[in-house]
Amino acid sequence: MDNDRLIIAGREFRSRLWVGTGKYKDFVETQKAIEASGADVVTVAVRRVNITDRSRENLLDYLDPKRYTILPNTAGCYTVEEAVRYARLARAAGVSDLVKLEVIGDERTLFPDTAGLVEAAKILTKEGFIVLPYTNDDPVVAKKLVDVGCPAVMPLAAPIGSGLGIRNPYNLKILLETVNVPVIVDAGVGTASDATLAMEYGADAVLMNTAIAGAGDPIAMAQAMKYAVEAGRLAYKAGRIPRKLYATASSPIEGML
């Protein structure tokens, strides 16, 4: 898989598994899980984790910037103004001009406010940000985000942290056919088979946090997710056999005694 790289806005990524940094017991466990995952993109909530004050213990002290791409996100932001402000804060602190953009519309489900998301994406792309938006699995919204300049889209598989897996594979397949940019399945993955399915459907990458951090053994689950994403990508590229109602002999029957 070394020559099968993910490219977004001219940037090349080796791993198609992206991981978050929340919900671990401490920074040491976070570091070990990220290492086990093989990920080279690590997303960090600007509003919730200290990544700007270098005088205090800082998550970035545990992540080698030469090894990982730090992807700040605007998790916990419920308005366009909040999301834009935290994206600007991360860039001003020298973290990155990449941003995972979240504008949450509902506190209970954490579903995105899609109208606000498009508006915030429009503002940030005009300011030179590389905006990767967390959105729902609506192909129409995904197309609007691409139209305002997003070089990838990040549709949810299920509500954040739910572990339900891909609830609507048909919407995801339509979305994959609708946009001509990388699609990163984000939110809802619960276990390795969910990640494999996302990749088999044709997703370009999978981003997860709770599925690893909340597992009984986060380090082992991180490694499982690494292999799951790789297997799903290989299967997608290989091409599965057609589904059939009846059996077909594996061995040829011509010339049998």
Side-chain angles (χ1 to χ4, degrees):
M1 300 291 287
D2 285 346
N3 61 349
D4 181 37
R5 301 299 177 92
L6 173 61
I7 298 175
I8 297 175
R11 302 189 183 202
E12 187 175 282
F13 305 103
R14 172 183 45 79
S15 174
R16 291 175 182 269
L17 172 60
W18 294 13
V19 295
T21 52
K23 302 183 179 180
Y24 291 96
K25 66 180 181 181
D26 53 37
F27 286 158
V28 173
E29 183 179 69
T30 308
Q31 181 186 49
K32 289 180 177 178
I34 292 170
E35 288 175 354
S37 74
D40 52 1
V41 176
V42 180
T43 184
V44 180
V46 182
R47 188 168 189 171
R48 295 174 178 159
V49 178
N50 172 37
I51 58 172
T52 58
D53 184 355
R54 305 299 293 184
S55 66
R56 297 188 293 122
E57 185 178 35
N58 191 304
L59 175 62
L60 300 187
D61 295 333
Y62 295 82
L63 300 174
D64 182 354
K66 296 179 180 178
R67 182 175 178 182
Y68 301 108
T69 294
I70 306 301
L71 176 61
N73 71 59
T74 60
C77 294
Y78 285 80
T79 67
V80 171
E81 294 74 21
E82 280 184 323
V84 169
R85 179 159 60 91
Y86 279 100
R88 289 170 176 164
L89 178 63
R91 184 163 71 175
V95 179
S96 181
D97 57 358
L98 278 168
V99 61
K100 178 189 169 189
L101 179 63
E102 298 185 29
V103 181
I104 302 301
D106 178 67
E107 188 173 358
R108 186 167 64 92
T109 63
L110 300 181
F111 283 153
D113 172 356
T114 55
L117 182 67
V118 173
E119 183 182 347
K122 187 182 300 184
I123 293 168
L124 292 172
T125 54
K126 285 182 178 178
E127 294 182 8
F129 284 88
I130 300 170
V131 179
L132 310 180
Y134 160 71
T135 182
N136 58 18
D137 58 1
D138 183 342
V140 176
V141 174
K143 182 68 166 54
K144 288 181 179 180
L145 290 164
V146 173
D147 288 345
V148 300
C150 297
V153 292
M154 307 180 74
L156 54 81
I160 293 173
S162 67
L164 289 172
I166 300 172
R167 293 296 83 202
N168 196 335
Y170 305 103
N171 266 31
L172 178 59
K173 288 180 179 180
I174 295 170
L175 191 152
L176 285 161
E177 294 174 359
T178 301
V179 298
N180 59 354
V181 299
V183 173
I184 303 162
V185 169
D186 179 16
V189 168
T191 190
S193 57
D194 298 331
T196 300
L197 277 175
M199 298 304 294
E200 287 181 353
Y201 290 145
D204 295 278
V206 180
L207 191 153
M208 65 186 72
N209 184 185
T210 305
I212 296 175
D217 184 339
I219 313 305
M221 185 59 83
Q223 192 170 22
M225 292 298 189
K226 171 186 176 180
Y227 296 137
V229 167
E230 290 177 357
R233 177 65 178 175
L234 280 168
Y236 170 74
K237 292 188 72 178
R240 66 159 291 138
I241 63 171
R243 291 179 171 88
K244 297 179 181 179
L245 182 60
Y246 297 105
T248 303
S250 298
S251 302
I253 59 175
E254 292 81 6
M256 289 181 61
L257 297 177

